[in-house]
Amino acid sequence: MLFSSITFLYYFLPLTVAFYFLVPRRLKNVVLLFASLVFYGWGEPKYTRLLGLTVVLGYGFGLLVERYRNKRAGRILCITSVVVTLSFLVYFKYADFFLSNIHAVTGWNIALLRLTLPIGISFYTFQIISYTIDVYRGETAQRSLIDLAAYVTMFPQLIAGPIVRYSDIADQLSARQHSWHGAAEGIRRFVIGLAKKILLADQLGELCSVFRASDEKSVLFYWMYACAFTLQIYFDFSGYSDMAIGIGGVFGFRIPENFNYPYISKTITEFWRRWHISLGTWFRDYVYIPLGGNRKGRWRQLFNILVVWLLTGFWHGAAWNFILWGLLFAVLLTVEKLWLLRKLEKSRIVSRIYTLLFVLFGFVIFNAENVGQAVSDLGGMIGVGGLPLISDETLYNLRSFGIVLLAGGIGATPVVRNLAGKVSEHPAGDRILEFVEPVGLAVLMLVMTAYLVDGSFQAFLYFRF
């Protein structure tokens, strides 16, 4: 089930919220768990049992790890839990990648498994791992299987994050505050996220599809595609995160922020502090720091960065272009730490251009079907192959999608937020916003409903990871 669907917006969500607030406090997690399983089973019924098994194993390991926490057995149990949980992810997501590469190297005739990737497995796997490790580090294990299952399967963030760590939400599972103000703020955040998805990300995705289908590509068309996908993935994923945070707020949960205007960054280091924050902090706390972080000398730190970014790339997909993507950022972050950061501090304009260019190149690699296509796309951006600088089809699509590209470029910066903040500083402006905002949100919902009825929407990009 998609957030951006009539079924979810006008049937599933209203019924879930109604039941949630009608039942007594002790049953709220039961309602949330049941709704989450229905939500997941709606689109992935055959893998609901896998999700349930993962939760039950995490629950059992959590209790055992806590019991033997200060003994050698506790460490062994924690490692076993991580290995078992990761084994499901490796089997479903990476088995064919390894088999195909073994075939390529050895020539052995190995049949691929061709497994369907369970939706959300990359996200809920990391949440179970964070739970077990947090318990090993001192967090109290969850005694209620229902509460733990409600945490892992919570439908607002189950499919594509943010990756909510157990330590961030443990207290909220048993005691959280509900208020009309919190619910209203959650609805506002949800509508804004939905608008990002339907009105910007999906339209930018259409431009990317037009580019792929085109037989008259030009250098400018390659750059338009690169800009369109870079904006699309931002609005698609940050829109999903906004919706998850918004729905979580309706249910009284404070889900951590996942994006902070990454495209205004002055360095790649800053970019990764602003982009997919929950994944970055997860790798920092559960991989980078346990490897030694920056505590064991400069060269060990650089090695740790390489490991983290190779894993980050591989987490996103079982293909060499994702590994190449991770390696690119490992190299850039290493170069910045060694000497480039000091150079970039001298010019805010140059530093921002540098950052945006490499992020752009990175997402071209990220969105390619394979390394060959990535190289071809990057080559097209510099005119390799005798491509024309511009073409009639390019101009046509620039006219067709120019407004959405411009809107996306502005929306990816804090300009609108800052403008609204300045208006609200004045008493008259604040009163105007109190009236304009709900009316504007209602109009947005009407417009987006029209798009959904027409069937012009796409699945979220991060569903495939």
Side-chain angles (χ1 to χ4, degrees), residues 109-131:
N109 189 17
I110 305 174
L112 299 181
L113 301 177
R114 303 194 184 282
L115 299 167
T116 302
L117 181 67
I119 295 174
I121 190 171
S122 297
F123 291 90
Y124 69 71
T125 295
F126 272 25
Q127 292 194 174
I128 288 288
I129 290 173
S130 80
Y131 166 68

Side-chain angles (χ1 to χ4, degrees), residues 61-375:
F61 273 115
L63 294 175
L64 289 171
V65 167
E66 182 187 51
R67 181 175 180 180
Y68 297 101
R69 182 158 48 205
N70 297 319
K71 300 177 181 178
R72 185 169 178 267
R75 181 180 179 84
I76 294 173
L77 285 165
C78 182
I79 293 172
T80 303
S81 174
V82 171
V83 171
V84 170
T85 305
L86 274 177
S87 68
F88 297 129
L89 178 63
V90 170
Y91 177 70
F92 284 99
K93 190 169 184 176
Y94 302 107
D96 279 353
F97 173 79
F98 290 123
L99 290 175
S100 62
N101 279 281
I102 291 172
H103 169 74
V105 172
T106 64
W108 297 343
N109 189 17
I110 305 174
L112 299 181
L113 301 177
R114 303 194 184 282
L115 299 167
T116 302
L117 181 67
I119 295 174
I121 190 171
S122 297
F123 291 90
Y124 69 71
T125 295
F126 272 25
Q127 292 194 174
I128 288 288
I129 290 173
S130 80
Y131 166 68
T132 309
I133 295 176
D134 287 347
V135 170
Y136 178 73
R137 291 175 174 176
E139 194 75 46
T140 301
Q142 180 56 249
R143 264 44 184 186
S144 168
L145 177 59
I146 289 176
D147 286 359
L148 181 66
Y151 151 66
V152 176
T153 67
M154 194 186 306
F155 75 87
Q157 50 78 54
L158 171 61
I159 305 300
I163 301 172
V164 181
R165 290 156 52 177
Y166 180 72
S167 58
D168 292 332
I169 208 169
D171 294 339
Q172 299 175 50
L173 288 170
S174 57
R176 53 187 180 273
Q177 298 298 317
H178 302 88
S179 67
W180 286 109
H181 174 75
E185 183 60 30
I187 292 170
R188 172 183 174 274
R189 186 70 177 268
F190 177 86
V191 173
I192 291 172
L194 188 63
K196 284 183 177 182
K197 166 62 178 168
I198 296 175
L199 302 182
L200 291 173
D202 285 358
Q203 309 312 309
L204 292 161
E206 186 178 343
L207 173 56
C208 294
S209 298
V210 169
F211 167 81
R212 284 293 178 213
S214 172
D215 293 324
E216 297 182 23
K217 294 183 175 67
S218 66
V219 174
L220 179 59
F221 207 175
Y222 271 98
W223 279 92
M224 284 171 57
Y225 157 72
C227 292
F229 180 74
T230 299
L231 290 170
Q232 181 197 3
I233 194 170
Y234 168 70
F235 286 112
D236 190 279
F237 195 20
S238 70
Y240 188 97
S241 295
D242 285 341
M243 286 184 267
I245 291 168
I247 299 173
V250 172
F251 295 124
F253 289 98
R254 297 185 304 278
I255 296 177
E257 294 292 338
N258 211 24
F259 288 87
N260 182 24
Y261 298 105
Y263 294 154
I264 67 170
S265 302
K266 297 184 289 296
T267 64
I268 297 298
T269 301
E270 182 185 355
F271 175 83
W272 285 110
R273 290 181 184 141
R274 293 173 174 268
W275 177 279
H276 204 345
I277 299 168
S278 63
L279 180 68
T281 55
W282 196 97
F283 272 109
R284 180 196 67 196
D285 293 344
Y286 298 111
V287 179
Y288 179 71
I289 291 176
L291 283 174
N294 59 1
R295 304 186 308 275
K296 297 185 177 182
R298 174 55 60 88
W299 293 109
R300 178 58 182 271
Q301 180 190 17
L302 299 180
F303 172 77
N304 294 341
I305 290 173
L306 176 63
V307 171
V308 165
W309 280 97
L310 286 175
L311 290 175
T312 300
F314 205 35
W315 178 87
H316 280 88
W320 284 106
N321 62 296
F322 290 108
I323 296 174
L324 180 62
W325 176 77
L327 183 61
L328 168 66
F329 285 107
V331 170
L332 290 171
L333 290 166
T334 297
V335 171
E336 285 188 359
K337 289 198 176 295
L338 288 175
W339 64 274
L340 190 57
L341 283 177
R342 294 188 297 273
K343 304 284 186 182
L344 294 173
E345 291 173 355
K346 297 177 180 179
S347 174
R348 297 173 64 181
I349 295 176
V350 171
S351 62
R352 284 193 166 93
I353 293 173
Y354 144 83
T355 302
L356 277 176
L357 278 177
F358 277 106
V359 167
L360 202 73
F361 297 150
F363 280 131
V364 168
I365 297 170
F366 184 93
N367 196 45
E369 292 292 328
N370 49 55
V371 174
Q373 188 180 73
V375 172

Side-chain angles (χ1 to χ4, degrees), residues 426-461:
H426 301 281
D430 193 38
R431 287 194 295 271
I432 291 172
L433 283 178
E434 286 180 1
F435 171 76
V436 170
E437 185 177 78
V439 173
L441 293 175
V443 170
L444 271 178
M445 280 302 301
L446 287 173
V447 172
M448 290 185 291
T449 300
Y451 272 92
L452 296 178
V453 170
D454 185 51
S456 53
F457 63 93
Q458 304 175 20
F460 290 89
L461 292 174

Side-chain angles (χ1 to χ4, degrees), residues 404-420:
V404 73
L405 283 168
L406 179 61
I410 295 172
T413 71
V415 169
V416 176
R417 182 197 65 183
N418 293 343
L419 181 61

